[in-house]
Amino acid sequence: MANVVLGQETTLHITIDEMCHHVRAVAAAKPEAHVVADMPWLSYHVDSEKAFATPRSSFARVPTA
């Protein structure tokens, strides 16, 4: 998404908020679909607790069917 949609040179600078924005758009367009999202670089490399806390707090805002 960083390269194709946002025009960034690499995928390293996308934020979790930007990912959530696009995941919400996909989920809203196709509520019956199983949506899979990748976590941004370094949002899970810090430690195990952060690896689970980031998607728990961020993707929890994404609506479910």
Side-chain angles (χ1 to χ4, degrees):
M1 182 178 71
N3 301 95
V4 177
V5 176
L6 300 175
Q8 296 179 3
E9 191 172 314
T10 71
T11 60
L12 300 178
H13 304 292
I14 194 156
T15 67
I16 193 76
D17 289 333
E18 289 169 317
M19 290 296 294
C20 286
H21 170 81
H22 291 279
V23 169
R24 279 193 299 275
V26 171
K30 293 290 185 181
E32 71 285 353
H34 179 84
V35 180
V36 177
D38 194 8
M39 291 174 55
W41 179 253
L42 293 180
S43 65
Y44 56 91
H45 287 88
V46 178
D47 60 48
S48 297
E49 183 58 35
K50 184 167 178 148
F52 288 101
T54 298
R56 195 177 306 130
S57 64
S58 299
F59 291 113
R61 301 178 303 214
V62 176
T64 58

